[in-house]
Amino acid sequence: MSDSETDLGEIVEDRLLDGRLILRQPKKGHRAGTDAILLAAALSEDETGPLADFGAGVGTVGLAAAMLRPELTVTLIERHPRLAALAEQNIVLNGFGDRVRLVAADVGAGAEASLVPAGFACVAMNPPFFVDDTVKASPVSNRRTAHVADQPFEIWLKAARRLLKPRGRVAIIHRAEALGAILNGLETGFGGVAIRPVHASADRPAIRIIVTATLNSRKPAALLPAFVLNGPDGRFTELSEAVHRGRALLG
């Protein structure tokens, strides 16, 4: 890996969930934000884990989930060495050393082989939104890694199928345009699919989808109520504000 791929530039300390979640992350490039918080909030309210966070980056989804659900144990899986190092620091900063661990490895290159098969109750994933060669990749390494996939999304789902316990759940956040591809991927092994569209405002098309599914379930699919981020005044809606502060869940 070249120096340009490992150098993340200036690292800053930010806070999410009403200041309770401390995150060391790059000042530039891909940064933790709404997508990660929504995915963590979309996990089942009674989720007790263990949870695997695929492509964890600096650990935002897994750490937020651990903070929102005190009974949860979490494994962060991240292949980018510098991001994995930051995730490890963030585990310590937030006092989660007894409940959160890091596996510095690539999901698409068999990272799950080092983990216990059928050992997780849930897998959360915020995968790269674009396929390699379909977009112009950012020159900023952590943004390129987060936004552009160099492997098929099906590889992540295959790993999830191997790691999930019977009736375990997968939770995904992605662009709304990816819904068809996600549903196609979930046809193998998953059922009970639930889709929640996420809108920037109530009068605009969805910009994200949150999709959950259960391994080996025969339950029919469900379209959940839409989640609207902003009101007519451009500010967070009441529910959006509560979710971003960690005072409400979507699961």
Side-chain angles (χ1 to χ4, degrees):
M1 185 173 288
S2 69
D3 290 341
S4 63
E5 289 177 313
T6 56
D7 183 11
L8 299 179
E10 182 181 356
I11 304 300
V12 296
E13 186 174 293
D14 294 313
R15 291 176 178 262
L16 282 77
L17 297 178
D18 219 11
R20 292 174 293 151
L21 179 62
I22 306 168
L23 286 179
R24 285 179 52 76
Q25 63 177 332
K27 184 176 182 179
K28 295 182 179 180
H30 178 76
R31 291 170 49 77
T34 290
D35 286 1
I37 296 304
L38 292 184
L39 182 57
L43 301 175
S44 174
E45 190 168 357
D46 58 357
E47 190 72 67
T48 58
L51 165 74
D53 178 5
F54 282 9
V58 300
T60 313
V61 173
L63 292 171
M67 182 160 287
L68 294 171
R69 296 165 180 78
E71 301 302 317
L72 200 63
T73 58
V74 177
T75 298
L76 308 176
I77 304 174
E78 174 54 48
R79 70 176 183 175
H80 192 301
R82 289 287 305 279
L83 292 178
L86 288 172
E88 199 153 33
Q89 293 174 32
N90 290 331
I91 292 172
V92 175
L93 280 173
N94 289 282
F96 287 143
D98 59 335
R99 291 202 291 129
V100 182
R101 65 169 177 149
L102 171 75
V103 173
D106 186 350
V107 171
E112 75 280 5
S114 65
L115 301 171
V116 178
F120 291 86
C122 186
V123 169
M125 56 180 79
N126 181 7
F129 284 171
F130 302 99
V131 178
D132 202 8
D133 297 330
T134 64
V135 295
K136 183 178 180 180
S138 170
V140 182
S141 69
N142 70 311
R143 178 175 288 162
R144 179 172 62 250
T145 299
H147 291 181
V148 182
D150 57 8
Q151 55 202 200
F153 176 56
E154 170 57 29
I155 290 178
W156 285 35
L157 289 178
K158 181 179 179 180
R161 287 191 291 269
R162 182 179 182 276
L163 291 182
L164 284 171
K165 298 178 179 180
R167 312 294 291 183
R169 296 201 322 143
V170 63
I172 306 161
I173 190 166
H174 213 299
R175 296 180 304 137
E177 297 90 332
L179 179 58
I182 291 173
L183 293 179
N184 286 340
L186 292 174
E187 284 184 352
T188 303
F190 291 96
V193 177
I195 305 159
R196 188 185 300 277
V198 178
H199 301 253
S201 59
D203 60 345
R204 302 295 299 273
I207 56 172
R208 297 285 187 272
I209 46 169
I210 301 170
V211 181
T212 60
T214 302
L215 189 65
N216 299 328
S217 172
R218 294 182 179 274
K219 187 177 178 180
L223 182 61
L224 302 179
F227 180 82
V228 180
L229 287 167
N230 305 305
D233 59 0
R235 297 184 179 184
F236 283 156
T237 62
E238 183 177 348
L239 177 57
S240 181
E241 178 80 15
V243 168
H244 280 85
R245 290 183 178 274
R247 298 175 182 171
L249 300 175
L250 296 176

